[in-house]
PDB file of all heavy atoms in Angstrom:
ATOM      1  N   ASP A   1       0.893  -1.240   0.066  1.00 96.00           N
ATOM      2  CA  ASP A   1      -0.066   0.074  -0.005  1.00 96.00           C
ATOM      3  C   ASP A   1       0.905   1.265   0.009  1.00 96.00           C
ATOM      4  O   ASP A   1       0.981   1.963   1.119  1.00 96.00           O
ATOM      5  CB  ASP A   1      -0.933  -0.046   1.218  1.00 96.00           C
ATOM      6  CG  ASP A   1      -2.003   0.970   1.102  1.00 96.00           C
ATOM      7  OD1 ASP A   1      -1.966   1.930   0.318  1.00 96.00           O
ATOM      8  OD2 ASP A   1      -3.030   0.907   1.945  1.00 96.00           O
ATOM      9  N   GLU A   2       1.429   1.570  -1.146  1.00 96.00           N
ATOM     10  CA  GLU A   2       2.280   2.667  -1.286  1.00 96.00           C
ATOM     11  C   GLU A   2       1.664   4.094  -0.872  1.00 96.00           C
ATOM     12  O   GLU A   2       2.332   4.879  -0.168  1.00 96.00           O
ATOM     13  CB  GLU A   2       2.889   2.795  -2.652  1.00 96.00           C
ATOM     14  CG  GLU A   2       3.794   1.592  -3.119  1.00 96.00           C
ATOM     15  CD  GLU A   2       5.177   1.720  -2.418  1.00 96.00           C
ATOM     16  OE1 GLU A   2       5.467   2.747  -1.853  1.00 96.00           O
ATOM     17  OE2 GLU A   2       5.921   0.746  -2.688  1.00 96.00           O
ATOM     18  N   PRO A   3       0.412   4.376  -1.353  1.00 97.00           N
ATOM     19  CA  PRO A   3      -0.207   5.582  -0.913  1.00 97.00           C
ATOM     20  C   PRO A   3      -0.265   5.762   0.644  1.00 97.00           C
ATOM     21  O   PRO A   3      -0.130   6.807   1.131  1.00 97.00           O
ATOM     22  CB  PRO A   3      -1.545   5.503  -1.540  1.00 97.00           C
ATOM     23  CG  PRO A   3      -1.361   4.630  -2.774  1.00 97.00           C
ATOM     24  CD  PRO A   3      -0.407   3.584  -2.380  1.00 97.00           C
ATOM     25  N   TYR A   4      -0.596   4.718   1.271  1.00 97.00           N
ATOM     26  CA  TYR A   4      -0.814   4.713   2.779  1.00 97.00           C
ATOM     27  C   TYR A   4       0.561   5.032   3.410  1.00 97.00           C
ATOM     28  O   TYR A   4       0.682   5.846   4.364  1.00 97.00           O
ATOM     29  CB  TYR A   4      -1.363   3.390   3.232  1.00 97.00           C
ATOM     30  CG  TYR A   4      -1.362   3.249   4.750  1.00 97.00           C
ATOM     31  CD1 TYR A   4      -2.053   4.121   5.564  1.00 97.00           C
ATOM     32  CD2 TYR A   4      -0.541   2.295   5.417  1.00 97.00           C
ATOM     33  CE1 TYR A   4      -2.017   4.041   6.947  1.00 97.00           C
ATOM     34  CE2 TYR A   4      -0.493   2.226   6.747  1.00 97.00           C
ATOM     35  CZ  TYR A   4      -1.334   3.040   7.551  1.00 97.00           C
ATOM     36  OH  TYR A   4      -1.247   2.953   8.907  1.00 97.00           O
ATOM     37  N   LEU A   5       1.660   4.391   2.965  1.00 98.00           N
ATOM     38  CA  LEU A   5       2.945   4.491   3.507  1.00 98.00           C
ATOM     39  C   LEU A   5       3.374   5.976   3.304  1.00 98.00           C
ATOM     40  O   LEU A   5       4.019   6.611   4.214  1.00 98.00           O
ATOM     41  CB  LEU A   5       3.861   3.627   2.811  1.00 98.00           C
ATOM     42  CG  LEU A   5       3.678   2.148   3.161  1.00 98.00           C
ATOM     43  CD1 LEU A   5       4.755   1.260   2.342  1.00 98.00           C
ATOM     44  CD2 LEU A   5       3.867   1.800   4.652  1.00 98.00           C
ATOM     45  N   ALA A   6       3.170   6.606   2.063  1.00 97.00           N
ATOM     46  CA  ALA A   6       3.541   8.004   1.870  1.00 97.00           C
ATOM     47  C   ALA A   6       2.790   8.890   2.728  1.00 97.00           C
ATOM     48  O   ALA A   6       3.292   9.884   3.298  1.00 97.00           O
ATOM     49  CB  ALA A   6       3.207   8.306   0.263  1.00 97.00           C
ATOM     50  N   LYS A   7       1.481   8.619   2.968  1.00 98.00           N
ATOM     51  CA  LYS A   7       0.600   9.427   3.830  1.00 98.00           C
ATOM     52  C   LYS A   7       1.164   9.447   5.353  1.00 98.00           C
ATOM     53  O   LYS A   7       1.186  10.376   6.008  1.00 98.00           O
ATOM     54  CB  LYS A   7      -0.751   8.992   3.790  1.00 98.00           C
ATOM     55  CG  LYS A   7      -1.713   9.907   4.625  1.00 98.00           C
ATOM     56  CD  LYS A   7      -3.210   9.485   4.452  1.00 98.00           C
ATOM     57  CE  LYS A   7      -4.150  10.422   5.131  1.00 98.00           C
ATOM     58  NZ  LYS A   7      -3.854  10.678   6.569  1.00 98.00           N
ATOM     59  N   VAL A   8       1.515   8.213   5.750  1.00 98.00           N
ATOM     60  CA  VAL A   8       2.023   8.107   7.111  1.00 98.00           C
ATOM     61  C   VAL A   8       3.283   9.020   7.324  1.00 98.00           C
ATOM     62  O   VAL A   8       3.383   9.732   8.307  1.00 98.00           O
ATOM     63  CB  VAL A   8       2.422   6.635   7.467  1.00 98.00           C
ATOM     64  CG1 VAL A   8       3.163   6.492   8.740  1.00 98.00           C
ATOM     65  CG2 VAL A   8       1.155   5.827   7.612  1.00 98.00           C
ATOM     66  N   LEU A   9       4.247   8.880   6.397  1.00 98.00           N
ATOM     67  CA  LEU A   9       5.443   9.744   6.556  1.00 98.00           C
ATOM     68  C   LEU A   9       5.107  11.235   6.377  1.00 98.00           C
ATOM     69  O   LEU A   9       5.653  12.055   7.113  1.00 98.00           O
ATOM     70  CB  LEU A   9       6.401   9.355   5.429  1.00 98.00           C
ATOM     71  CG  LEU A   9       7.138   8.082   5.748  1.00 98.00           C
ATOM     72  CD1 LEU A   9       8.182   7.767   4.595  1.00 98.00           C
ATOM     73  CD2 LEU A   9       7.824   7.929   7.078  1.00 98.00           C
ATOM     74  N   LYS A  10       4.220  11.586   5.498  1.00 98.00           N
ATOM     75  CA  LYS A  10       3.828  12.965   5.286  1.00 98.00           C
ATOM     76  C   LYS A  10       3.148  13.568   6.558  1.00 98.00           C
ATOM     77  O   LYS A  10       3.515  14.607   7.077  1.00 98.00           O
ATOM     78  CB  LYS A  10       2.883  13.213   4.070  1.00 98.00           C
ATOM     79  CG  LYS A  10       2.504  14.571   3.766  1.00 98.00           C
ATOM     80  CD  LYS A  10       1.570  14.632   2.551  1.00 98.00           C
ATOM     81  CE  LYS A  10       1.153  16.068   2.256  1.00 98.00           C
ATOM     82  NZ  LYS A  10       0.233  16.494   3.348  1.00 98.00           N
ATOM     83  N   ASP A  11       2.247  12.825   7.072  1.00 98.00           N
ATOM     84  CA  ASP A  11       1.580  13.365   8.248  1.00 98.00           C
ATOM     85  C   ASP A  11       2.466  13.342   9.479  1.00 98.00           C
ATOM     86  O   ASP A  11       2.395  14.200  10.256  1.00 98.00           O
ATOM     87  CB  ASP A  11       0.299  12.368   8.538  1.00 98.00           C
ATOM     88  CG  ASP A  11      -0.766  12.559   7.484  1.00 98.00           C
ATOM     89  OD1 ASP A  11      -0.731  13.453   6.596  1.00 98.00           O
ATOM     90  OD2 ASP A  11      -1.711  11.746   7.496  1.00 98.00           O
ATOM     91  N   GLY A  12       3.265  12.205   9.528  1.00 98.00           N
ATOM     92  CA  GLY A  12       4.220  12.135  10.711  1.00 98.00           C
ATOM     93  C   GLY A  12       5.204  13.334  10.707  1.00 98.00           C
ATOM     94  O   GLY A  12       5.486  13.893  11.755  1.00 98.00           O
ATOM     95  N   THR A  13       5.670  13.726   9.446  1.00 98.00           N
ATOM     96  CA  THR A  13       6.680  14.798   9.369  1.00 98.00           C
ATOM     97  C   THR A  13       5.969  16.166   9.693  1.00 98.00           C
ATOM     98  O   THR A  13       6.540  16.959  10.383  1.00 98.00           O
ATOM     99  CB  THR A  13       7.198  14.901   7.918  1.00 98.00           C
ATOM    100  OG1 THR A  13       7.730  13.689   7.562  1.00 98.00           O
ATOM    101  CG2 THR A  13       8.223  16.047   7.760  1.00 98.00           C
ATOM    102  N   GLU A  14       4.725  16.308   9.294  1.00 97.00           N
ATOM    103  CA  GLU A  14       4.039  17.583   9.597  1.00 97.00           C
ATOM    104  C   GLU A  14       3.737  17.717  11.100  1.00 97.00           C
ATOM    105  O   GLU A  14       4.001  18.799  11.690  1.00 97.00           O
ATOM    106  CB  GLU A  14       2.567  17.554   8.903  1.00 97.00           C
ATOM    107  CG  GLU A  14       2.801  17.779   7.374  1.00 97.00           C
ATOM    108  CD  GLU A  14       1.417  17.773   6.697  1.00 97.00           C
ATOM    109  OE1 GLU A  14       0.452  17.471   7.354  1.00 97.00           O
ATOM    110  OE2 GLU A  14       1.429  17.953   5.443  1.00 97.00           O
ATOM    111  N   GLN A  15       3.489  16.571  11.837  1.00 97.00           N
ATOM    112  CA  GLN A  15       3.213  16.700  13.226  1.00 97.00           C
ATOM    113  C   GLN A  15       4.607  16.929  13.931  1.00 97.00           C
ATOM    114  O   GLN A  15       4.760  17.763  14.896  1.00 97.00           O
ATOM    115  CB  GLN A  15       2.606  15.295  13.807  1.00 97.00           C
ATOM    116  CG  GLN A  15       1.258  15.122  13.261  1.00 97.00           C
ATOM    117  CD  GLN A  15       0.792  13.686  13.819  1.00 97.00           C
ATOM    118  OE1 GLN A  15       0.714  13.469  14.977  1.00 97.00           O
ATOM    119  NE2 GLN A  15       0.476  12.832  12.855  1.00 97.00           N
ATOM    120  N   ALA A  16       5.607  16.206  13.482  1.00 97.00           N
ATOM    121  CA  ALA A  16       6.964  16.372  14.098  1.00 97.00           C
ATOM    122  C   ALA A  16       7.545  17.838  13.880  1.00 97.00           C
ATOM    123  O   ALA A  16       8.205  18.381  14.753  1.00 97.00           O
ATOM    124  CB  ALA A  16       7.947  15.372  13.554  1.00 97.00           C
ATOM    125  N   ARG A  17       7.184  18.397  12.662  1.00 97.00           N
ATOM    126  CA  ARG A  17       7.666  19.698  12.332  1.00 97.00           C
ATOM    127  C   ARG A  17       7.077  20.800  13.312  1.00 97.00           C
ATOM    128  O   ARG A  17       7.861  21.708  13.661  1.00 97.00           O
ATOM    129  CB  ARG A  17       7.325  20.048  10.940  1.00 97.00           C
ATOM    130  CG  ARG A  17       7.758  21.398  10.412  1.00 97.00           C
ATOM    131  CD  ARG A  17       8.052  21.422   8.946  1.00 97.00           C
ATOM    132  NE  ARG A  17       9.263  20.723   8.722  1.00 97.00           N
ATOM    133  CZ  ARG A  17       9.442  20.019   7.640  1.00 97.00           C
ATOM    134  NH1 ARG A  17       8.399  19.718   6.881  1.00 97.00           N
ATOM    135  NH2 ARG A  17      10.538  19.333   7.434  1.00 97.00           N
ATOM    136  N   GLU A  18       5.904  20.683  13.732  1.00 95.00           N
ATOM    137  CA  GLU A  18       5.331  21.626  14.685  1.00 95.00           C
ATOM    138  C   GLU A  18       6.190  21.693  15.882  1.00 95.00           C
ATOM    139  O   GLU A  18       6.433  22.791  16.436  1.00 95.00           O
ATOM    140  CB  GLU A  18       3.871  21.224  14.968  1.00 95.00           C
ATOM    141  CG  GLU A  18       3.208  22.268  15.861  1.00 95.00           C
ATOM    142  CD  GLU A  18       1.679  21.870  16.155  1.00 95.00           C
ATOM    143  OE1 GLU A  18       1.182  20.893  15.513  1.00 95.00           O
ATOM    144  OE2 GLU A  18       1.089  22.552  16.942  1.00 95.00           O
ATOM    145  N   SER A  19       6.485  20.444  16.457  1.00 96.00           N
ATOM    146  CA  SER A  19       7.278  20.501  17.734  1.00 96.00           C
ATOM    147  C   SER A  19       8.737  21.013  17.413  1.00 96.00           C
ATOM    148  O   SER A  19       9.272  21.805  18.210  1.00 96.00           O
ATOM    149  CB  SER A  19       7.367  18.985  18.235  1.00 96.00           C
ATOM    150  OG  SER A  19       8.375  18.845  19.097  1.00 96.00           O
ATOM    151  N   ALA A  20       9.317  20.561  16.269  1.00 97.00           N
ATOM    152  CA  ALA A  20      10.654  20.969  15.919  1.00 97.00           C
ATOM    153  C   ALA A  20      10.778  22.534  15.716  1.00 97.00           C
ATOM    154  O   ALA A  20      11.691  23.089  16.125  1.00 97.00           O
ATOM    155  CB  ALA A  20      11.187  20.271  14.670  1.00 97.00           C
ATOM    156  N   ARG A  21       9.840  23.057  14.979  1.00 97.00           N
ATOM    157  CA  ARG A  21       9.912  24.517  14.797  1.00 97.00           C
ATOM    158  C   ARG A  21       9.892  25.302  16.056  1.00 97.00           C
ATOM    159  O   ARG A  21      10.483  26.326  16.245  1.00 97.00           O
ATOM    160  CB  ARG A  21       8.746  24.906  13.920  1.00 97.00           C
ATOM    161  CG  ARG A  21       8.938  24.678  12.393  1.00 97.00           C
ATOM    162  CD  ARG A  21       7.753  25.023  11.585  1.00 97.00           C
ATOM    163  NE  ARG A  21       8.043  24.852  10.197  1.00 97.00           N
ATOM    164  CZ  ARG A  21       7.100  24.762   9.174  1.00 97.00           C
ATOM    165  NH1 ARG A  21       5.788  24.940   9.593  1.00 97.00           N
ATOM    166  NH2 ARG A  21       7.373  24.696   8.035  1.00 97.00           N
ATOM    167  N   ASN A  22       9.053  24.812  17.025  1.00 96.00           N
ATOM    168  CA  ASN A  22       8.953  25.547  18.338  1.00 96.00           C
ATOM    169  C   ASN A  22      10.262  25.615  18.990  1.00 96.00           C
ATOM    170  O   ASN A  22      10.800  26.523  19.541  1.00 96.00           O
ATOM    171  CB  ASN A  22       7.948  24.940  19.205  1.00 96.00           C
ATOM    172  CG  ASN A  22       6.472  25.142  18.686  1.00 96.00           C
ATOM    173  OD1 ASN A  22       6.306  26.192  18.008  1.00 96.00           O
ATOM    174  ND2 ASN A  22       5.590  24.291  19.026  1.00 96.00           N
ATOM    175  N   THR A  23      10.954  24.380  19.015  1.00 97.00           N
ATOM    176  CA  THR A  23      12.276  24.352  19.675  1.00 97.00           C
ATOM    177  C   THR A  23      13.316  25.115  19.007  1.00 97.00           C
ATOM    178  O   THR A  23      14.089  25.806  19.686  1.00 97.00           O
ATOM    179  CB  THR A  23      12.794  22.810  19.677  1.00 97.00           C
ATOM    180  OG1 THR A  23      11.841  21.968  20.358  1.00 97.00           O
ATOM    181  CG2 THR A  23      14.040  22.674  20.367  1.00 97.00           C
ATOM    182  N   LEU A  24      13.332  24.995  17.677  1.00 97.00           N
ATOM    183  CA  LEU A  24      14.269  25.720  16.834  1.00 97.00           C
ATOM    184  C   LEU A  24      14.212  27.297  17.009  1.00 97.00           C
ATOM    185  O   LEU A  24      15.204  28.043  17.103  1.00 97.00           O
ATOM    186  CB  LEU A  24      14.247  25.397  15.449  1.00 97.00           C
ATOM    187  CG  LEU A  24      15.491  25.721  14.491  1.00 97.00           C
ATOM    188  CD1 LEU A  24      16.721  25.118  15.147  1.00 97.00           C
ATOM    189  CD2 LEU A  24      15.277  25.151  13.093  1.00 97.00           C
ATOM    190  N   SER A  25      12.937  27.688  17.101  1.00 96.00           N
ATOM    191  CA  SER A  25      12.655  29.140  17.440  1.00 96.00           C
ATOM    192  C   SER A  25      13.305  29.588  18.662  1.00 96.00           C
ATOM    193  O   SER A  25      13.848  30.672  18.777  1.00 96.00           O
ATOM    194  CB  SER A  25      11.181  29.458  17.323  1.00 96.00           C
ATOM    195  OG  SER A  25      10.826  30.746  17.679  1.00 96.00           O
ATOM    196  N   ASP A  26      13.008  28.802  19.635  1.00 96.00           N
ATOM    197  CA  ASP A  26      13.671  29.016  21.091  1.00 96.00           C
ATOM    198  C   ASP A  26      15.234  29.154  21.004  1.00 96.00           C
ATOM    199  O   ASP A  26      15.890  30.059  21.497  1.00 96.00           O
ATOM    200  CB  ASP A  26      13.166  28.088  22.023  1.00 96.00           C
ATOM    201  CG  ASP A  26      11.699  28.146  22.495  1.00 96.00           C
ATOM    202  OD1 ASP A  26      11.156  29.198  22.115  1.00 96.00           O
ATOM    203  OD2 ASP A  26      11.230  27.141  23.000  1.00 96.00           O
ATOM    204  N   VAL A  27      15.799  28.212  20.211  1.00 97.00           N
ATOM    205  CA  VAL A  27      17.189  28.075  20.119  1.00 97.00           C
ATOM    206  C   VAL A  27      17.845  29.287  19.321  1.00 97.00           C
ATOM    207  O   VAL A  27      18.783  29.907  19.778  1.00 97.00           O
ATOM    208  CB  VAL A  27      17.658  26.732  19.493  1.00 97.00           C
ATOM    209  CG1 VAL A  27      19.104  26.758  18.997  1.00 97.00           C
ATOM    210  CG2 VAL A  27      17.363  25.613  20.451  1.00 97.00           C
ATOM    211  N   ARG A  28      17.201  29.544  18.213  1.00 96.00           N
ATOM    212  CA  ARG A  28      17.606  30.726  17.386  1.00 96.00           C
ATOM    213  C   ARG A  28      17.526  31.988  18.144  1.00 96.00           C
ATOM    214  O   ARG A  28      18.408  32.903  18.065  1.00 96.00           O
ATOM    215  CB  ARG A  28      16.855  30.762  16.107  1.00 96.00           C
ATOM    216  CG  ARG A  28      17.141  29.631  15.092  1.00 96.00           C
ATOM    217  CD  ARG A  28      16.264  29.809  13.918  1.00 96.00           C
ATOM    218  NE  ARG A  28      16.621  30.901  13.088  1.00 96.00           N
ATOM    219  CZ  ARG A  28      17.416  30.864  12.003  1.00 96.00           C
ATOM    220  NH1 ARG A  28      17.844  29.743  11.570  1.00 96.00           N
ATOM    221  NH2 ARG A  28      17.659  32.029  11.300  1.00 96.00           N
ATOM    222  N   HIS A  29      16.411  32.169  18.961  1.00 96.00           N
ATOM    223  CA  HIS A  29      16.259  33.445  19.564  1.00 96.00           C
ATOM    224  C   HIS A  29      17.382  33.562  20.742  1.00 96.00           C
ATOM    225  O   HIS A  29      17.911  34.676  20.824  1.00 96.00           O
ATOM    226  CB  HIS A  29      14.821  33.447  20.303  1.00 96.00           C
ATOM    227  CG  HIS A  29      14.582  34.597  21.154  1.00 96.00           C
ATOM    228  ND1 HIS A  29      14.277  35.855  20.575  1.00 96.00           N
ATOM    229  CD2 HIS A  29      14.585  34.738  22.526  1.00 96.00           C
ATOM    230  CE1 HIS A  29      14.114  36.741  21.582  1.00 96.00           C
ATOM    231  NE2 HIS A  29      14.321  36.104  22.793  1.00 96.00           N
ATOM    232  N   ALA A  30      17.585  32.426  21.367  1.00 96.00           N
ATOM    233  CA  ALA A  30      18.582  32.495  22.465  1.00 96.00           C
ATOM    234  C   ALA A  30      19.973  32.828  21.955  1.00 96.00           C
ATOM    235  O   ALA A  30      20.842  33.533  22.559  1.00 96.00           O
ATOM    236  CB  ALA A  30      18.689  31.139  23.192  1.00 96.00           C
ATOM    237  N   MET A  31      20.224  32.385  20.663  1.00 95.00           N
ATOM    238  CA  MET A  31      21.488  32.625  20.108  1.00 95.00           C
ATOM    239  C   MET A  31      21.653  33.994  19.345  1.00 95.00           C
ATOM    240  O   MET A  31      22.774  34.308  18.833  1.00 95.00           O
ATOM    241  CB  MET A  31      21.896  31.476  19.132  1.00 95.00           C
ATOM    242  CG  MET A  31      22.090  30.103  19.910  1.00 95.00           C
ATOM    243  SD  MET A  31      22.446  28.805  18.712  1.00 95.00           S
ATOM    244  CE  MET A  31      24.099  29.203  18.149  1.00 95.00           C
ATOM    245  N   GLY A  32      20.625  34.654  19.262  1.00 94.00           N
ATOM    246  CA  GLY A  32      20.624  35.961  18.595  1.00 94.00           C
ATOM    247  C   GLY A  32      20.176  35.966  17.148  1.00 94.00           C
ATOM    248  O   GLY A  32      20.527  36.914  16.402  1.00 94.00           O
ATOM    249  N   TYR A  33      19.608  34.886  16.757  1.00 93.00           N
ATOM    250  CA  TYR A  33      19.087  34.740  15.330  1.00 93.00           C
ATOM    251  C   TYR A  33      17.613  34.942  15.214  1.00 93.00           C
ATOM    252  O   TYR A  33      16.875  34.408  16.151  1.00 93.00           O
ATOM    253  CB  TYR A  33      19.473  33.419  14.607  1.00 93.00           C
ATOM    254  CG  TYR A  33      21.018  33.283  14.454  1.00 93.00           C
ATOM    255  CD1 TYR A  33      21.853  32.785  15.466  1.00 93.00           C
ATOM    256  CD2 TYR A  33      21.533  33.715  13.251  1.00 93.00           C
ATOM    257  CE1 TYR A  33      23.177  32.641  15.298  1.00 93.00           C
ATOM    258  CE2 TYR A  33      23.025  33.592  13.089  1.00 93.00           C
ATOM    259  CZ  TYR A  33      23.782  33.059  14.138  1.00 93.00           C
ATOM    260  OH  TYR A  33      25.082  32.915  13.855  1.00 93.00           O
ATOM    261  N   ARG A  34      17.146  35.489  14.158  1.00 87.00           N
ATOM    262  CA  ARG A  34      15.639  35.548  13.876  1.00 87.00           C
ATOM    263  C   ARG A  34      15.164  34.141  13.659  1.00 87.00           C
ATOM    264  O   ARG A  34      15.888  33.324  13.081  1.00 87.00           O
ATOM    265  CB  ARG A  34      15.328  36.429  12.838  1.00 87.00           C
ATOM    266  CG  ARG A  34      15.678  37.936  12.995  1.00 87.00           C
ATOM    267  CD  ARG A  34      15.348  38.759  11.761  1.00 87.00           C
ATOM    268  NE  ARG A  34      15.704  40.111  11.937  1.00 87.00           N
ATOM    269  CZ  ARG A  34      15.549  41.070  11.008  1.00 87.00           C
ATOM    270  NH1 ARG A  34      15.024  40.615   9.802  1.00 87.00           N
ATOM    271  NH2 ARG A  34      15.933  42.256  11.183  1.00 87.00           N
TER     272      ARG A  34
END
């Protein structure tokens, strides 16, 4: 089921990105980057 596997990775990446962006925003701000 190739479409299902692609959807799992796409959805999983989108969920993980929300968490990752928040962390990276904190890190960049602390280091003086926008």
Side-chain angles (χ1 to χ4, degrees):
D1 194 343
E2 295 284 355
Y4 172 65
L5 295 174
K7 184 177 186 303
V8 168
L9 288 180
K10 179 176 179 294
D11 292 349
T13 301
E14 288 176 357
Q15 292 177 62
R17 177 153 288 134
E18 182 178 354
S19 166
R21 280 177 174 166
N22 290 335
T23 301
L24 198 55
S25 176
D26 291 343
V27 167
R28 290 177 68 101
H29 177 76
M31 296 180 68
Y33 291 91
R34 295 178 182 178

